[in-house]
Amino acid sequence: VPTASRQAPAKRAYHHGDLRRALIQAAWRLVRDQGVDTLTLREVARKVGVTHAAPYHHFESREALLEVLADEAFAAMSDEMAEAAAGVTDPSERLFVVGRAYVDHARARPEHVQVMFRRYPGMKDQSPDSPGSRAFAHLFEAVLACQEAGLAPSGDPWQLALSAWSLVHGFVKLWADGPLDCIPAYAENFDTMRDHMLRTFGASWRALAQQERASAAR
Amino acid sequence: VPTASRQAPAKRAYHHGDLRRALIQAAWRLVRDQGVDTLTLREVARKVGVTHAAPYHHFESREALLEVLADEAFAAMSDEMAEAAAGVTDPSERLFVVGRAYVDHARARPEHVQVMFRRYPGMKDQSPDSPGSRAFAHLFEAVLACQEAGLAPSGDPWQLALSAWSLVHGFVKLWADGPLDCIPAYAENFDTMRDHMLRTFGASWRALAQQERASAAR
DNA sequence: TGTACATCAGTGAACGCGCGTTCACTGATGTAC
DNA sequence: TGTACATCAGTGAACGCGCGTTCACTGATGTAC
């Protein structure tokens, strides 16, 4: 068995080698360049250089492909959040780096954002250990750790976590969807805005927590 | 001139009376029911009971209709923010009601959200007194007032305003795009989550501002 | 090592569909006199 | 008040297009013996 045929599956007459992977990659490029809405299976096939019916051997439908993309995107973001948190012991700092990972991943891969946050049929059937749930779990745990260390306000941690999530998510979407590009004070200042926002948010939580303690001691 | 023909333009053979308005209304209903992406001029015309070519007498293209919708949506949201702020003198409370107006409007009119935050060609040509700019201005002014009253952290007000905007915007999008519906802790608790988020945010800012003053006095 | 055969992963034609947009048209409306 | 005429706001046919999906097919691959 000549291994050459395995190492160079680039241009094969019939069998592609890893068409499934190639279709996914092409889909990512297309989503990045022109958005999810206009993604068509036929164009994906065209990009890969394969007949428009070929993708159906790998994906049941356009929607099925998009769900695979969403899982990939959530998994990648979740990994980056976990990696960012690894080794960071100070809870406030951990919340910061986790939030920054969320924001930065979205900034670096706008096509992921397009695919992750999109209403689709069967969205409610998310298992609790789906990639999407795992990503949120990282954020939640970082918030919880802050709270337990007295570095965040008291109260229902779920409510706090939603505040943190809203903050980073809104930041991401405002950049992704365009509004900020039109405002001179913001355009081109992504990093500055991101750091100020995250740092002020953390500092505010700590200040409120401290105030709570002070007034409890009084 | 019989005024009856003016008062009952409901079913006219040819001239509709106010087709432009009717098309816009139908478009809102369609966007609400099935999203912007799938909105077609032909379906809008069909809903109104008019030939598919008729809309071209009122809108240059599908895109032109969508831009009209976006302006309407921003104007409506801006009005609600202004109305909410009217008469509220305490700056913290004003920021709260303005933020709540943003969130509530988006919740009540999800079709507005779909149309407002959407990349489109020529988005950068927003005039500074476009409805969209005006909506942001309400938020910015509320933030600025807090800062001047010592109820928000010091620093660049634009950066603070972006934090506030991100917070409410993220909240809105997380509900609109579905993720929260899948999380039992959140689903069905919109109002509770909204108030907690906005109140904690305000309280955190005040706590940080106070802390800043304390450490400056030391 | 060689061969028969099942399975896999492509092809290409075809189906039906709805879309945006254009165009020549015509019925209804409003205005000048 | 009545009439001629310009303008407005619809109609309906047509153009070209690309889409999702199905289907019978066939070339390539891998496995049992």
Side-chain angles (χ1 to χ4, degrees):
Chain A
V1 181
T3 55
S5 67
R6 282 229 160 271
Q7 285 172 351
K11 283 284 168 267
R12 305 189 63 79
Y14 241 76
H15 291 180
H16 181 281
D18 197 357
L19 182 57
R20 184 188 157 87
R21 193 72 240 154
L23 291 168
I24 290 175
Q25 297 295 2
W28 279 129
R29 232 166 303 139
L30 286 168
V31 171
R32 186 192 59 197
D33 294 345
Q34 26 167 304
V36 226
D37 314 336
T38 59
L39 183 82
T40 66
L41 271 189
R42 289 177 99 113
E43 193 169 5
V44 171
R46 235 178 281 130
K47 280 278 181 203
V48 172
V50 104
T51 301
H52 60 259
Y56 286 86
H57 284 282
H58 301 276
F59 303 99
E60 262 197 352
S61 66
R62 176 181 181 279
E63 196 56 36
L65 168 59
L66 284 175
E67 290 187 20
V68 170
L69 293 185
D71 266 5
E72 273 199 10
F74 274 120
M77 171 173 264
S78 175
D79 287 352
E80 287 193 18
M81 291 168 83
E83 194 179 339
V88 180
T89 51
D90 176 65
S92 275
E93 188 63 18
R94 238 177 72 162
L95 181 57
F96 174 80
V97 296
V98 166
R100 193 177 55 186
Y102 188 101
V103 170
D104 283 351
H105 181 81
R107 178 70 165 180
R109 308 297 302 270
E111 68 273 25
H112 283 207
V113 176
Q114 294 213 34
V115 154
M116 286 189 285
F117 302 105
R118 192 183 65 89
R119 287 198 165 282
Y120 58 88
M123 166 183 271
K124 292 200 91 171
D125 313 338
Q126 286 287 340
S127 81
D129 64 331
S130 68
S133 306
R134 273 190 284 122
F136 173 64
H138 292 308
L139 188 66
F140 182 80
E141 280 159 20
V143 167
L144 197 60
C146 282
Q147 208 182 26
E148 286 169 350
L151 298 168
S154 58
D156 179 6
W158 288 91
Q159 296 187 334
L160 275 189
L162 182 52
S163 285
W165 192 8
S166 295
L167 187 78
V168 290
H169 189 70
F171 189 81
V172 157
K173 292 297 275 182
L174 287 174
W175 286 98
D177 294 340
L180 298 185
D181 297 336
C182 312
I183 302 177
Y186 298 131
E188 318 273 334
N189 293 317
F190 180 86
D191 289 6
T192 311
M193 294 295 149
R194 175 201 63 197
D195 287 345
H196 176 274
M197 184 186 75
L198 294 174
R199 295 248 104 110
T200 303
F201 189 70
S204 297
W205 270 13
R206 289 194 297 276
L208 182 54
Q210 188 185 323
Q211 194 180 74
E212 283 177 354
R213 277 195 302 279
S215 75
R218 215 182 331 108
Chain B
V1 179
T3 56
S5 66
R6 281 232 159 271
Q7 286 172 351
K11 282 286 168 266
R12 305 189 65 78
Y14 242 76
H15 291 181
H16 180 281
D18 197 358
L19 181 56
R20 184 188 156 88
R21 194 71 238 153
L23 290 168
I24 290 175
Q25 297 295 3
W28 278 131
R29 232 167 302 138
L30 285 167
V31 171
R32 185 191 60 198
D33 294 345
Q34 26 166 305
V36 226
D37 315 336
T38 58
L39 183 82
T40 68
L41 272 188
R42 289 176 99 113
E43 194 169 4
V44 172
R46 235 177 281 129
K47 280 279 181 201
V48 173
V50 104
T51 301
H52 60 259
Y56 286 86
H57 284 282
H58 301 275
F59 302 99
E60 261 198 353
S61 65
R62 176 182 181 276
E63 195 58 35
L65 168 59
L66 285 175
E67 291 188 20
V68 170
L69 294 185
D71 266 5
E72 272 198 11
F74 274 120
M77 173 175 263
S78 176
D79 287 352
E80 286 193 18
M81 291 169 83
E83 194 178 341
V88 179
T89 52
D90 177 64
S92 275
E93 188 63 17
R94 239 179 71 161
L95 181 57
F96 174 81
V97 296
V98 166
R100 192 178 55 185
Y102 189 101
V103 170
D104 283 351
H105 181 81
R107 179 68 164 180
R109 307 295 303 270
E111 68 274 25
H112 283 205
V113 176
Q114 295 212 33
V115 154
M116 287 188 284
F117 302 104
R118 190 183 66 90
R119 285 197 166 280
Y120 57 87
M123 166 182 272
K124 293 199 90 171
D125 313 339
Q126 286 287 339
S127 81
D129 63 331
S130 68
S133 306
R134 273 190 283 121
F136 173 65
H138 291 310
L139 188 65
F140 182 79
E141 279 158 19
V143 167
L144 196 61
C146 282
Q147 208 183 25
E148 286 169 349
L151 299 168
S154 59
D156 179 7
W158 289 90
Q159 296 187 334
L160 275 187
L162 182 52
S163 285
W165 193 7
S166 294
L167 187 79
V168 290
H169 189 70
F171 189 81
V172 156
K173 292 297 277 183
L174 287 174
W175 285 99
D177 294 340
L180 297 184
D181 296 336
C182 314
I183 302 177
Y186 298 131
E188 318 273 333
N189 292 317
F190 180 88
D191 288 7
T192 310
M193 294 295 150
R194 176 200 63 195
D195 288 344
H196 176 274
M197 184 188 74
L198 293 174
R199 296 247 103 111
T200 302
F201 190 69
S204 297
W205 270 12
R206 290 193 297 275
L208 182 53
Q210 188 184 324
Q211 195 181 74
E212 282 177 356
R213 274 195 302 279
S215 75
R218 213 182 333 108

